Each structure stands twice: as structure tokens, then as C-alpha cells.
Amino acid sequence: MAFGFALGRWGRTTVGEARIINRFALSVLLPVFLFNFSAKISFSGFDPRPLFTYLSAELVVFILGFLLATKILKRSAAESILLAMSGGPVTFLCRPKCSFRPLSVRMRRGFS
């Protein structure tokens, strides 16, 4: 990665060449690496409980975030899905207070 970055910085590669190299790496090299890596893994010592615990916690957070956005904040289904995927309830705690306008425009009472 550092080698490719350096070549781009020095002007030795073009954007088109970088796209071709990236496409080759993601469509050929990465699957070969992942197949080779996964073929050597021993699943005998794998405990799926932490994985399922994490997945179920993520599902609960997503559902809570979606319901919060649709029912309480009255957002559309599409926006609710995006907000729920971006962190669920934690995102909504900041949402009413945060503004996405530039700092020069954002001025709230009681703050300098």
C-alpha cells in the first residue's frame, strides 16, 4: 500500500492505472488470500457464542434506532434505516443537538 501511495505521489501512476490495480487486487488477489486463509483455519476450537451475542446485540440496537427514528423523530423509512445503521440510539442522542451546517453558521444560544 505504501509503495502504491508513493508511486502516486511521485506521479509514476495515473488514476486510471490505480483503478485497474485496485480492481485486480480486490477481484483476484483478495479472494485468493481469503480462500487460502480460510482453508487453513481449524474450526474445532471455534466458539460461536460471542459472535451470536454480538450479532444479536447489533440487531437490537438497529431495531431500537429504526423505531426511534420512525416513531419519535418522524423520519422516513429510508432515512431511519441509514440512521439506525450509523449507530442506533447513540446517533439520535446527538441528532437534535448537532447541526450539519459549517461552524461559521452554527450558533446556539449560550455558546460562543
Side-chain angles (χ1 to χ4, degrees):
M1 234 166 91
F3 181 69
F5 178 77
L7 286 177
R9 275 294 205 201
W10 295 330
R12 303 283 185 194
T13 60
T14 64
V15 173
E17 292 169 341
R19 285 189 182 133
I20 292 170
I21 293 169
N22 285 339
R23 189 172 297 146
F24 175 73
L26 290 175
S27 62
V28 176
L29 298 179
L30 185 62
V32 168
F33 169 75
L34 291 176
F35 178 76
N36 187 25
F37 180 73
S38 62
K40 294 178 181 177
I41 292 177
S42 171
F43 288 102
S44 62
F46 178 70
D47 183 15
R49 290 179 296 178
L51 180 64
F52 289 127
T53 303
Y54 172 77
L55 290 176
S56 51
E58 280 291 323
L59 183 63
V60 167
V61 168
F62 177 81
I63 290 171
L64 287 175
F66 181 79
L67 291 174
L68 181 66
T70 54
K71 304 296 183 191
I72 296 174
L73 297 178
K74 308 290 186 208
R75 302 290 178 191
S76 68
E79 187 177 4
S80 298
I81 289 171
L82 291 174
L83 288 170
M85 286 184 352
S86 67
V90 175
T91 304
F92 301 108
L93 294 175
C94 178
R95 178 92 170 135
K97 300 174 191 165
C98 297
S99 173
F100 297 105
R101 292 179 288 177
L103 288 175
S104 59
V105 178
R106 187 184 334 166
M107 295 179 67
R108 296 185 292 171
R109 290 189 189 132
F111 293 91
S112 55

